């Protein structure tokens, strides 16, 4: 499988360095790397603010601590499982060839045990320190990411991150249930915001690394469709995402701060999405399309939107 630009054969793909650990710090760093800390940061940014929203103020700080610990361990477990299953293609991709398994710092068996221990401990922490519903949702998100996205969808369909991205939407539900012990429409709306945010975010990154995905036959949308079509779909998802974010205002009974922030952040995001789509006209050149601008902007958008969710109850009560 190749993308719409110049084909890249598997022979051209870089081979991961075969090296072992030199110090205990290498081993510790490798295990930490298996958890994908940058991903965890983003997931926590969609968990903790929702706890402030659910509490309509400052939640119990020990509850926040237990939720953060359990959520971190659960997300780390899912990422480690993903690294084990994808170690074959990670060796061939420039973006991932420096991970622990391709470098042979950690064995697949050790990583699998590590991921399982994290899953068990995270479920126990959330069950004991938070509540059973939050623990169940966290375990469900972990299982969905591993079995549905990683093992079933990722290598089979261009819709892999659309439906596989559901796993990344669960933190909004977990943050809410940690405080209230039950589900409601407001966290479901936030769940949907993350759901519609995931394709623009991930496809922008996939555009940048489409040769990597093409080399390993992962059918990300930018691999099988021209950049123009990818840009069009990014714009469509972006509009739905912004509309969904504004729906939280009446459903969540929020004050003036959140809708103001959501409108401004959404307008800026839509401008950036349309600009990237415009740059795809007549070209497949990444230097002209600049997909990473939208990728980095998407991280900022989601972070600030959820911060606004947390701040609104504090200043508009």
């Amino acid at each position: 499988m190749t993308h719409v630009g110049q084909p890249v054969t598997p022979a051209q793909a870089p081979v991961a360095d075969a090296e072992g650990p030199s110090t205990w710090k290498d081993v510790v760093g490798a295990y930490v790397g298996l958890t994908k800390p940058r991903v965890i940061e983003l997931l926590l940014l969609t968990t903790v603010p929702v706890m402030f929203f659910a509490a309509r103020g400052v939640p119990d700080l020990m509850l926040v601590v237990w939720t953060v610990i359990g959520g971190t361990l659960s997300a780390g477990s899912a990422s480690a499982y993903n690294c084990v299953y994808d170690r074959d293609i990670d060796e061939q991709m420039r973006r991932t060839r420096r991970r622990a398994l391709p470098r042979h710092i950690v064995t697949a068996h050790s990583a699998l045990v590590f991921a399982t221990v994290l899953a068990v401990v995270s479920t126990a922490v959330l069950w004991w320190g938070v509540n059973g519903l939050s623990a169940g949702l966290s375990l469900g998100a972990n299982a969905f990411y591993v079995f549905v996205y990683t093992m079933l969808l990722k290598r089979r369909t261009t819709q892999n991150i659309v439906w596989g991205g559901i796993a990344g939407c669960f933190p909004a539900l977990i943050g809410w249930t940690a405080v209230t012990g039950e589900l409601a429409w407001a966290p479901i709306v936030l769940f949907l915001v993350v759901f519609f945010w995931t394709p623009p975010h991930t496809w922008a990154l996939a555009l940048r690394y489409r040769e990597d995905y093409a080399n390993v036959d992962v059918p990300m949308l930018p691999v099988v469709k021209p950049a123009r079509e990818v840009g069009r779909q990014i714009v469509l998802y972006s509009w739905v995402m912004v509309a969904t974010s504004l729906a939280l205002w009446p459903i969540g009974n929020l004050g003036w701060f959140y809708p103001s922030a959501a409108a401004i952040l959404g307008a800026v995001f839509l401008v950036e999405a349309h600009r990237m789509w415009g740059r795809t006209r007549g070209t497949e050149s990444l230097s002209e399309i600049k997909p990473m601008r939208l990728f980095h902007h998407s991280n900022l958008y989601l972070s600030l939107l959820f911060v606004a969710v947390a701040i609104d109850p504090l200043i508009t009560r």
Side-chain angles (χ1 to χ4, degrees):
M1 181 183 297
T2 58
H3 62 75
V4 295
Q6 180 180 355
V8 179
T9 65
Q12 292 175 282
V15 179
D17 300 328
E19 58 182 78
S22 56
T23 67
W24 65 270
K25 290 182 179 180
D26 293 325
V27 178
V28 172
Y31 277 104
V32 172
L34 287 173
T35 67
K36 302 180 184 177
R38 296 290 297 275
V39 175
I40 292 175
E41 290 176 11
L42 196 61
L43 293 176
L44 292 180
L45 266 171
T46 57
T47 304
V48 176
V50 177
M51 297 183 73
F52 281 75
F53 177 31
R56 297 289 169 169
V58 180
D60 179 85
L61 294 183
M62 282 309 301
L63 182 64
V64 174
V65 169
W66 286 121
T67 305
V68 167
I69 292 174
T72 297
L73 295 176
S74 180
S77 167
S79 294
Y81 278 126
N82 175 265
C83 286
V84 172
Y85 190 83
D86 280 348
R87 64 190 184 277
D88 58 330
I89 62 177
D90 282 349
E91 288 189 355
Q92 302 299 319
M93 297 176 66
R94 286 187 296 273
R95 186 172 67 87
T96 57
R97 63 191 291 257
R98 300 294 298 173
R99 287 178 177 172
L101 289 173
R103 294 174 63 199
H104 308 291
I105 295 178
V106 175
T107 66
H109 178 264
S110 297
L112 187 61
V113 171
F114 176 65
T116 303
V117 169
L118 289 183
V120 172
V121 174
S122 68
T123 304
V125 166
L126 289 170
W127 190 282
W128 178 80
V130 185
N131 57 55
L133 179 55
S134 297
L137 288 170
S138 178
L139 187 61
N142 190 332
F144 193 96
Y145 184 76
V146 174
F147 294 109
V148 178
Y149 170 67
T150 301
M151 300 178 68
L152 179 63
L153 298 176
K154 183 174 181 178
R155 307 191 192 198
R156 290 180 172 87
T157 172
T158 59
Q159 297 297 299
N160 45 21
I161 57 91
V162 175
W163 300 107
I166 287 175
C169 305
F170 273 77
L173 303 182
I174 294 168
W176 182 276
T177 58
V179 173
T180 67
E182 60 185 11
L183 288 171
W185 282 111
I188 291 174
V189 172
L190 288 170
F191 177 102
L192 292 173
V193 169
V194 180
F195 177 80
F196 293 120
W197 168 88
T198 300
H201 170 77
T202 310
W203 286 334
L205 182 67
L207 265 174
R208 168 65 179 82
Y209 292 101
R210 60 186 180 183
E211 291 186 356
D212 271 357
Y213 289 112
N215 283 334
V216 294
D217 287 337
V218 174
M220 299 295 286
L221 186 67
V223 173
V224 299
K225 295 291 183 181
R228 184 69 176 165
E229 174 60 20
V230 176
R232 186 184 73 86
Q233 293 207 31
I234 284 176
V235 166
L236 291 176
Y237 272 95
S238 298
W239 274 99
V240 178
M241 175 194 72
V242 172
T244 304
S245 73
L246 292 172
L248 183 65
W249 178 23
I251 292 174
N253 191 28
L254 289 160
W256 61 267
F257 181 80
Y258 172 79
S260 301
I264 294 171
L265 291 169
V268 174
F269 192 98
L270 289 173
V271 167
E272 190 60 39
H274 276 274
R275 282 177 176 170
M276 197 200 79
W277 184 31
R279 291 193 294 268
T280 64
R281 186 176 291 107
T283 183
E284 294 290 329
S285 171
L286 294 179
S287 62
E288 295 183 34
I289 297 172
K290 302 176 183 177
M292 293 304 288
R293 284 186 53 176
L294 182 63
F295 173 79
H296 292 305
H297 189 84
S298 67
N299 285 329
L300 184 62
Y301 167 84
L302 195 69
S303 301
L304 293 179
L305 185 75
F306 273 77
V307 168
V309 167
I311 291 176
D312 188 276
L314 296 176
I315 66 174
T316 61
R317 284 186 297 176

